[in-house]
Amino acid sequence: MQIQTKFHGLIEIEPTESWNFPKGIPGFEDQTEFILLPIEGNNAFQVLQSTKQANTAFIVANPYTLVEDYSFEIDEPTIDLLEITKPEDIMALGILSMKQPFEQSTINLQAPLIFQLQNRKAKQMILNDNRFEVRHPIGKGGN
């Protein structure tokens, strides 16, 4: 199937590559299917692209590679929604807000994206943990 994307133009994807966000992403509840696309020349970041709306795309990254000592517990509603049975079946990513200069870009540590790798369901989980910021500078390093 072909989709129009924000950063990659018109591309061909396999429907099996998409991620199902049963409740959408906060602020984008009507967008429930996304795909992760690589950024050429940058292995640290990816694009989380809606398969239905070209302008709905987020730059995402593994928060553990950007922030020392980042950890959180997945709440029961998320475990139930994503049908998580084993910790090794999940992946977490954070949404970035890109700035100039690049070092002032931030990552949202308060609302990580949780992906269940086996069934390809995902959810943005809001943490109630004041140790983490919505706009944590990626150049800041550890907490």
Side-chain angles (χ1 to χ4, degrees):
M1 119 178 155
Q2 289 189 328
I3 65 167
Q4 187 66 42
T5 69
K6 184 172 184 175
F7 302 111
H8 295 76
L10 186 65
I11 62 168
E12 182 78 26
I13 64 165
E14 292 295 327
T16 55
E17 297 174 4
S18 67
W19 293 92
N20 177 23
F21 284 72
K23 296 185 175 185
I25 292 176
F28 302 89
E29 288 81 3
D30 60 330
Q31 300 298 307
T32 58
E33 294 291 329
F34 287 84
I35 188 162
L36 285 168
L37 299 170
I39 297 176
E40 189 173 318
N42 186 325
N43 293 329
F45 304 132
Q46 299 178 76
V47 176
L48 181 67
Q49 172 68 56
S50 166
T51 61
K52 305 289 187 228
Q53 194 168 71
N55 286 332
T56 304
F58 307 95
I59 305 297
V60 296
N62 181 338
Y64 300 101
T65 62
L66 298 172
V67 180
E68 293 177 24
D69 301 329
Y70 182 59
S71 67
F72 58 89
E73 288 191 27
I74 299 175
D75 59 28
E76 285 298 323
T78 300
I79 289 171
D80 292 343
L81 178 71
L82 302 183
E83 302 169 26
I84 297 170
T85 58
K86 299 183 289 188
E88 56 268 25
D89 289 343
I90 61 168
M91 167 178 74
L93 295 174
I95 295 178
L96 289 127
S97 178
M98 304 308 283
K99 303 269 194 292
Q100 289 291 338
F102 175 76
E103 291 75 22
Q104 292 183 1
S105 298
T106 61
I107 185 168
N108 183 346
L109 298 179
Q110 212 22 275
L113 299 163
I114 311 298
F115 296 81
Q116 210 282 24
L117 302 172
Q118 300 304 314
N119 62 19
R120 302 192 70 82
K121 288 184 178 180
K123 175 186 175 188
Q124 186 173 30
M125 187 180 85
I126 310 295
L127 302 178
N128 291 316
D129 189 330
N130 61 9
R131 294 178 301 155
F132 306 118
E133 303 168 278
V134 172
R135 293 181 184 88
H136 181 91
I138 62 173
K140 189 174 177 180
N143 294 317

